[in-house]
Amino acid sequence: MPSTAPPLACSVRACGLPLERRGASWVCERGHSFDVARSGYVSLLQPQDRRSLEAGDSRATALSRRELLDEGFGAVLESALVEVASELELAPGAFVADLGCGDGRFLAAVCAKTGLHGIGIDLSAHAVELGARRHPAHTWVVANADRRLPLVDGSLALALSIDGRRPRDEFARTLCANGALLVAVPAADDLAELRGAVLGEVHDAPRVERVAAELAPDFVLAGHTTARARIRLERASLARLAAATYRCARAREREALEQLDGLEVTTSHDVLVFRRSHG
Ligand SMILES: [Zn+2]
C-alpha cells in the first residue's frame, strides 16, 4: 500500500485541485467528481481531450499487445527496466507514473521490485482496464498524456515513458526534486527483420542524443543501457504483433505478414535514465 493517497489531480480545465477517493468516486474540493469503473480504473478524460469517442487503442489492439507480452515478447525490456529502476533506490511507497502504460505490465513489474506504488496512465480505456483487473493494488487512469497530466506537482519519485510521450514540462512539474525519469525508445535495429520482410520502410528511431536534447535543460542523461533480444515468432504471434503495432496497420503490410510462417525478430530498446538538473 502507498504511504499516502495517490496524488491524482482534477482534470477539469483550470481546476487542478488534488482529488480524494470517496467511495466509488474521486472528487476535488470544488465538487468535480469522477466515477471509478467497476474494473477499478478512473477516467479523467475531458471531452476536449479526446479526438474521437473511442480514444486510444482498441480493445483488440490492447489484447493483442498483452498476449504478445504474455508470450515473453517484452521480457528483455522488462528485465532492463526493473534492474535500472531498482538501482535508483527509491523509497518504497513513493509514486511512479507510467505515461502510455498500456496493460501496465512494465509498471507492475517495476513496482513489484521497488515497492513503489504505480499510477498507470493511458488514453485507451481498454488498455487501462486490463491493467486494473490484473494489478488492482495500483492506480489506473484514463487520460491524455499530451495534455496536462492529472497529477499533483512534485508528487512522483519516478516517471516512466516506454515507447511513449515525453512531455518535458509535465515531467518537470510532477517529479519531486530528486525524482528520476526512465525512458525506453526503440533502438535502430528494433524489429529490423520485420521491416525488411514486410514493410520495406526506413526506420526513424529516435536517437539517444535527440531524446536527451528534448529533455534538456530540465533533465540530464544519467544512464544508458540497451535491452536487445532475438525472438522467433510463429505465425500467430506475428499476427498479434501486426495488430499490436501501428507500424503494421496498412492492409498491404498485413497481407505480406500473413504470407510468413514465422520469423526471427530482433527487439531492441535504449533504456535511458534521466535525473533532474539542478543549477
Ligand atoms: Zn476540480
Side-chain angles (χ1 to χ4, degrees):
M1 284 298 289
S3 47
T4 53
L8 300 186
C10 182
S11 60
V12 170
R13 189 178 287 208
C15 183
L17 287 178
L19 289 174
E20 188 184 319
R21 179 77 185 256
R22 283 196 208 137
S25 302
W26 286 88
V27 296
C28 81
E29 269 185 17
R30 291 195 178 97
H32 303 130
S33 179
F34 305 87
D35 293 338
V36 175
R38 196 177 307 167
S39 52
Y41 70 88
V42 62
S43 176
L44 299 181
L45 264 190
Q46 293 297 317
Q48 70 269 18
D49 290 341
R50 61 175 98 201
R51 285 178 220 110
S52 70
L53 215 56
E54 275 284 291
D57 287 344
S58 69
R59 182 162 174 78
T61 299
L63 281 170
S64 290
R65 183 172 292 125
R66 181 164 79 172
E67 283 170 23
L68 204 60
L69 293 173
D70 282 349
E71 292 169 1
F73 188 71
V76 169
L77 175 58
E78 180 178 315
S79 298
L81 291 166
V82 166
E83 189 179 328
V84 171
S86 64
E87 286 167 0
L88 296 172
E89 297 184 341
L90 301 164
F95 294 99
V96 49
D98 184 357
L99 304 196
C101 65
D103 76 347
R105 165 179 305 260
F106 298 124
L107 176 64
V110 164
C111 290
K113 178 75 174 182
T114 58
L116 295 173
H117 179 89
I119 302 172
I121 299 175
D122 202 286
L123 184 56
S124 166
H126 302 292
V128 166
E129 181 172 26
L130 293 178
R133 286 190 186 279
R134 193 178 274 189
H135 307 286
H138 298 297
T139 302
W140 302 96
V141 177
V142 181
N144 188 340
D146 285 343
R147 307 295 169 89
R148 184 181 172 87
L149 297 176
L151 297 168
V152 172
D153 294 2
S155 58
L156 301 177
L158 179 65
L160 307 180
S161 168
I162 303 160
D163 296 349
R165 305 289 184 183
R166 296 182 293 275
R168 186 190 73 209
D169 292 350
E170 284 295 275
F171 286 141
R173 181 180 68 78
T174 55
L175 280 164
C176 66
N178 59 354
L181 171 58
L182 196 46
V183 174
V185 291
D189 56 347
D190 185 49
L191 304 182
E193 304 84 356
L194 189 66
R195 280 179 279 113
V198 178
L199 306 178
E201 74 179 22
V202 178
H203 195 23
D204 60 342
R207 295 272 169 264
V208 171
E209 298 73 28
R210 203 179 87 203
V211 176
E214 276 172 27
L215 292 168
D218 296 300
F219 297 93
V220 289
L221 185 61
H224 177 196
T225 60
T226 302
R228 178 180 288 115
R230 282 176 67 83
I231 298 173
R232 169 94 191 163
L233 293 181
E234 304 306 329
R235 182 189 287 258
S237 301
L238 284 171
R240 282 183 202 110
L241 183 61
T245 64
Y246 297 119
R247 274 178 269 183
C248 299
R250 284 166 284 188
R252 179 174 57 80
E253 293 159 356
R254 279 179 190 261
E255 282 168 24
L257 202 62
E258 282 162 12
Q259 304 301 312
L260 300 171
D261 268 336
L263 190 68
E264 190 161 307
V265 300
T266 301
T267 87
S268 184
H269 278 82
D270 288 306
V271 177
L272 312 174
V273 180
F274 288 89
R275 289 288 196 174
R276 299 192 73 129
S277 52
H278 299 282

